[in-house]
Amino acid sequence: MRASSPVTVRTEGPMNVPLAPAGMLAGPEQAAGLAPYIVSQAVWAPSVHNTQPWWFSADPGGLCLYADQARQLAAADPDGREMLLSCGAALFTARLALRAAGWVPGAQVLPDPAMPLLVARLTWQHRTAPTRFERRLAAQVRTRRSHRGGFDPLPLAPQLLAELVEGAARYGAVLQVVSDEGIRAALAEAVQAAEQALELDSERARERAAWTRPPGSTRDDGVPASAYPAHAEQTFPYFPAPGFARGHGWGLPPLSTLPGRSAGTVCLLATSSDGPADWVGAGQALQRTLLTSAAWGVAAALHTQPFQLGRGRGLVGLRPGLYPHLILRLGVTTQAGVGVRRPPGSVLVTNP
Ligand SMILES: Cc1cc2nc3c(=O)[nH]c(=O)nc-3n(C[C@H](O)[C@H](O)[C@H](O)COP(=O)(O)O)c2cc1C
């Protein structure tokens, strides 16, 4: 089982939310009262380099989620694909927060050509008790952490993998489980090659460094030293984590000195077309995958290095006609980094 990690932001939870009686329509004042709670959950979504590229606008009728282009990775993510994947993860978390509080979310998702940075508009009017599954996922939102190393040599339950594949499909994404050893090795090589190239690319390396925090930093965005390994942990096959420590020896000590911990169960997250709405859908599928795994005691390592170089879209082993967005490794580990987020109040604008 993963160890749970401390959180740095204290926010109100569902118990403090004004709830309308089940089945009743909620008034505008209740809609406004819910927005801070929804945002306090949504900010715990994963985002590329923990850029948290989002902001929210609440009005009496609902809540809008916008992409924050000032936080886009200009070098590594010029199309804003990873930015919108991150926003999709925040959108899933916001919807889940509403469900956990007993509301039925309505969501209008991209695209609106007139407002390309508007990701989605959320509304809620009716109540229905959350399911056990929704409650279990919601309980993981703040403690789930991205992992950056190897896993214990334990296979994942087939029921979990089936649930993940089915869940991703609900958001228009394909989660392809890679069991062929040759393809796993080829994907690992693609990550190794990309990681080496990224370190040699001065523009992308500078950008990564700007979002990597040294020990003792009080910033509430970027990847903190409490979340990355001091030295890339060897896995078999070898999927290197991003070199956030940049040779300084900052970061978490190795969990094990044994060579070649398991790389875990390798999956590809992809979509069948490649536009902004697909990226938001893939982001929702990603967060559903991560939270469902966490509810089963399974951690995930994420790799986008091959895609940050504009290559790797034709990955070995990917089913024809699919556009890959992330390589995921799933497994069991006792190590968990510490998460940081900007305070919800700093990303929420409330309009009367
Ligand atoms: C679109 C996207 C791409 C990511 N790419 C990587 C990656 O290549 N390597 C990695 O270690 N983490 C990656 N992450 C994980 C983020 O670094 C992580 O979500 C962020 O630092 C916040 O930490 P947390 O997930 O532990 O809350 C990615 C996350 C997202 C949403």
Side-chain angles (χ1 to χ4, degrees), residues 46-48 50 82 86 144-146 148 242 302-304 341:
S47 62
V48 59
N50 201 19
E82 293 199 58
S86 306
R144 174 215 58 81
R145 293 277 74 81
S146 297
R148 298 191 173 86
L302 291 73
H303 295 275
T304 46
R341 292 297 190 273

Side-chain angles (χ1 to χ4, degrees), residues 2 43-52 54 81-87 89 141-148 195 208 222-224 227 229 240-242 244 283 286 290 301-306 308 325-327 337-341:
R2 299 175 64 200
V43 295
W44 286 99
S47 62
V48 59
H49 291 358
N50 201 19
T51 47
Q52 305 168 48
W54 46 61
R81 194 174 51 84
E82 293 199 58
M83 175 179 74
L84 287 182
L85 281 161
S86 306
C87 288
V141 164
R142 290 167 185 238
T143 52
R144 174 215 58 81
R145 293 277 74 81
S146 297
H147 183 59
R148 298 191 173 86
E195 183 54 28
R208 182 190 271 181
V223 186
F244 290 129
L286 170 66
L290 299 179
L302 291 73
H303 295 275
T304 46
Q305 294 108 316
Q308 295 193 340
H325 303 299
L326 276 143
I327 298 170
V338 176
V340 293
R341 292 297 190 273

Side-chain angles (χ1 to χ4, degrees), residues 14-308:
M15 300 312 291
N16 298 333
V17 170
L19 295 182
M24 295 282 288
L25 277 174
E29 68 290 349
Q30 284 162 324
L34 277 169
Y37 153 68
I38 300 167
V39 174
S40 75
Q41 293 292 101
V43 295
W44 286 99
S47 62
V48 59
H49 291 358
N50 201 19
T51 47
Q52 305 168 48
W54 46 61
W55 67 278
F56 300 83
S57 161
D59 59 61
L63 183 69
C64 290
L65 162 60
Y66 292 88
D68 183 348
Q69 222 165 14
R71 292 175 165 266
Q72 181 178 345
L73 301 178
D77 184 30
D79 301 334
R81 194 174 51 84
E82 293 199 58
M83 175 179 74
L84 287 182
L85 281 161
S86 306
C87 288
L91 173 59
F92 180 87
T93 319
R95 295 166 83 152
L96 181 65
L98 277 165
R99 287 302 305 122
W103 296 89
V104 181
Q108 281 172 286
V109 187
L110 276 171
D112 181 346
M115 287 196 274
L117 296 178
L118 174 61
V119 175
R121 177 168 173 77
L122 278 175
T123 52
W124 51 92
Q125 289 191 314
H126 297 278
R127 294 197 62 213
T128 301
T131 62
R132 186 166 170 266
F133 180 72
E134 288 164 338
R135 283 202 309 269
R136 284 186 69 200
L137 260 57
Q140 306 301 323
V141 164
R142 290 167 185 238
T143 52
R144 174 215 58 81
R145 293 277 74 81
S146 297
H147 183 59
R148 298 191 173 86
F151 295 104
D152 299 344
L154 298 170
L156 297 191
Q159 303 96 298
L160 170 61
L161 289 174
E163 168 62 47
L164 298 181
V165 169
E166 193 269 326
R170 291 181 183 211
Y171 296 90
V174 174
L175 188 76
Q176 186 183 329
V177 181
V178 179
S179 43
D180 180 282
E181 285 303 329
I183 298 175
R184 279 163 57 93
L187 291 176
E189 276 170 29
V191 174
Q192 290 164 31
E195 183 54 28
Q196 273 175 10
L198 280 166
E199 286 185 350
L200 295 172
D201 180 315
S202 54
E203 203 185 345
R204 288 178 173 81
R206 255 198 312 276
E207 187 173 71
R208 182 190 271 181
W211 286 102
T212 308
R213 296 170 37 203
S217 165
T218 53
R219 264 176 61 184
D220 49 19
D221 57 7
V223 186
S226 51
Y228 57 78
H231 307 284
E233 189 177 17
Q234 287 290 329
T235 56
F236 183 77
Y238 179 42
F239 284 85
F244 290 129
R246 307 200 300 285
H248 292 295
W250 301 334
L252 299 168
L255 189 61
S256 157
T257 49
L258 297 174
R261 289 182 81 210
S262 167
T265 298
V266 177
C267 306
L268 285 163
L269 185 69
T271 49
S272 55
S273 51
D274 198 24
D278 303 296
W279 305 337
V280 173
Q284 295 200 78
L286 170 66
Q287 178 67 327
R288 190 188 194 278
T289 303
L290 299 179
L291 294 176
T292 308
S293 301
W296 283 62
V298 169
L302 291 73
H303 295 275
T304 46
Q305 294 108 316
F307 315 122
Q308 295 193 340

